[in-house]
């Protein structure tokens, strides 16, 4: 069957997550077996495209990778347009120019990018510069606008839920308050899902600014009702009421990964001081991104990958594959670029959690 695409490049960009290899396999198998396309694997995201670090992928490259964590292509947080005009330290070239040149040199008809918000923002700029691009939405944060869900998210929910489950028994044995900080960047999806699944007593997400007094009142009420332990789930991007009313530039954030600013530690300290109960902190960290994808993510990543192969076949470029309800669709990159998908204030899960007595620190 003649396809609009003969040869395409594929790269993974941004933070890794479970399901990247399943998605690579999904695109590659469908494109190779069904449509006989050539696939060029680009190493370490946009950095590899700037440097021309690429290789022709064979069928054997895709076998046995469905369940493997990470990405066989490697990844980086390279943002080629961020320092526009700044030359690449290795090639000495202007980065976007180098990407366009290598795209042509590699004879690509299209570039498939697997990534999050930053990746799709770059993809849209490359589209504007004349490249054919198709995006696949991955991230444990589930914060990509235009798709109900991203692959990687449900694996992270499973991992975080298990971690909360395990905190219950130790919290109970010691009569302690356990604070657990989860990832999620500026969105609260991961903490909301895992917090409810794990039966968190308090869930703090960036979309609902908290007050320490409200959290402590809730914990004291639980203690007076004879509940000797509590679990507090904190999204890394959670904000206090005071901070949320200040300009973004004045907010605390992690600048140096070696001097980790932890929202959870700040909250744990404040709770212990006010509630006067022994409090402990767990920062779950990168385990949420590691390891094998859950069955849900294997299905989603394979489905997205196969859908991308169909877009390649039809020559429908300039879009991102997405899930809307139970339908797999594609959305124009220009619609998605630069937008974040936050938990909306009236999300049904927030109401569900409130109904079972969960505190969001806002009452
Ligand atoms: O974007 C995914 C994510 O896991 C966020 O939740 C987290 O803030 C960030 O990546 C940290 O990743 P890195 O240290 O790789 O920049």
């Amino acid at each position: 069957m003649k396809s609009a695409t003969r040869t395409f490049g594929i790269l993974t960009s941004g933070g890794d997550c479970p399901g990247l290899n399943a998605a690579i396999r999904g695109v590659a198998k469908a494109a190779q077996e069904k449509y006989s396309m050539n696939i060029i694997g680009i190493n370490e995201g946009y950095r590899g495209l700037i440097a021309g670090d690429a290789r022709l992928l064979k069928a054997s490259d895709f076998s046995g990778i469905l369940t493997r964590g990470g990405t066989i292509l490697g990844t980086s947080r390279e943002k080629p347009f961020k320092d526009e005009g700044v030359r690449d330290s290795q090639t000495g070239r202007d980065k976007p120019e180098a990407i366009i040149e290598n795209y042509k040199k590699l004879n690509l008809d299209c570039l498939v990018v697997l990534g999050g918000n930053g990746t799709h923002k770059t993809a849209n700029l490359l589209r504007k510069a004349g490249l054919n691009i198709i995006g696949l939405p991955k991230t444990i944060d589930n914060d990509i606008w235009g798709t109900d869900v991203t692959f990687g998210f449900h694996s992270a929910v499973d991992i975080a839920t298990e971690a909360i489950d395990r905190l219950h028994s130790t919290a109970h044995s010691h009569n302690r308050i356990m604070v657990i900080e989860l990832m999620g960047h500026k969105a609260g999806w991961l903490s909301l899902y895992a917090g409810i699944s794990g039966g968190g007593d308090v869930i703090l997400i960036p979309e609902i600014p908290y007050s320490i007094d409200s959290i402590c009142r809730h914990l004291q009420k639980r203690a007076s009702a004879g509940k000797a332990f509590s679990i507090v789930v904190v999204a890394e991007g959670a904000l206090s009421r005071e901070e949320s009313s200040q300009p973004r530039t004045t907010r605390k954030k992690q600048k140096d990964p070696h001097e980790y600013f932890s929202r959870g530690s700040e909250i744990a300290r404040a709770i212990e001081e006010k509630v006067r109960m022994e409090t402990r902190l767990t920062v779950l960290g990168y385990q949420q991104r590691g390891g094998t994808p859950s069955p849900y993510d294997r299905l989603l990543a394979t489905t997205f990958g196969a859908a991308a192969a169909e877009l390649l076949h039809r020559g429908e470029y300039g879009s991102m594959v997405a899930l809307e309800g139970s339908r797999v669709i594609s959305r124009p990159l220009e619609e998605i670029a630069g937008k974040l998908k936050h938990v909306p204030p009236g999300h049904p899960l927030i109401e569900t959690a409130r109904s079972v007595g969960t505190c969001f620190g806002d009452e």
Side-chain angles (χ1 to χ4, degrees), residues 27-46:
V27 191
K29 279 200 169 230
Q32 235 173 25
E33 287 172 20
K34 204 166 159 195
Y35 299 119
S36 309
M37 294 178 202
N38 303 312
I39 308 170
I40 308 291
I42 295 150
N43 295 321
E44 294 181 16
Y46 291 117

Side-chain angles (χ1 to χ4, degrees), residues 77 140-141 183-185 236 286 289:
R77 289 205 183 270
I140 64 162
D141 303 333
M183 282 186 167
H185 200 42
E236 63 179 348
Y286 293 86
R289 272 176 26 185

Side-chain angles (χ1 to χ4, degrees), residues 136-216:
L136 293 184
K138 70 87 216 175
T139 165
I140 64 162
D141 303 333
N142 194 34
D143 61 350
I144 302 184
W145 193 91
T147 183
D148 290 355
V149 63
T150 57
F151 60 85
F153 173 62
H154 278 284
S155 303
V157 170
D158 293 355
I159 297 162
T161 302
E162 198 201 323
I164 299 170
D165 289 349
R166 286 178 185 277
L167 288 181
H168 269 90
S169 59
T170 169
H172 177 254
S173 307
H174 288 266
N175 290 342
R176 280 174 174 162
I177 294 174
M178 290 296 199
V179 175
I180 178 165
E181 181 185 305
L182 301 180
M183 282 186 167
H185 200 42
K186 291 179 185 154
W189 295 104
L190 183 50
S191 293
L192 182 66
Y193 273 63
I196 296 174
S197 311
D201 304 298
V202 177
I203 300 175
L204 305 178
I205 60 174
E207 293 84 352
I208 307 179
Y210 63 83
S211 109
I212 287 287
D213 287 342
S214 151
I215 300 166
C216 293

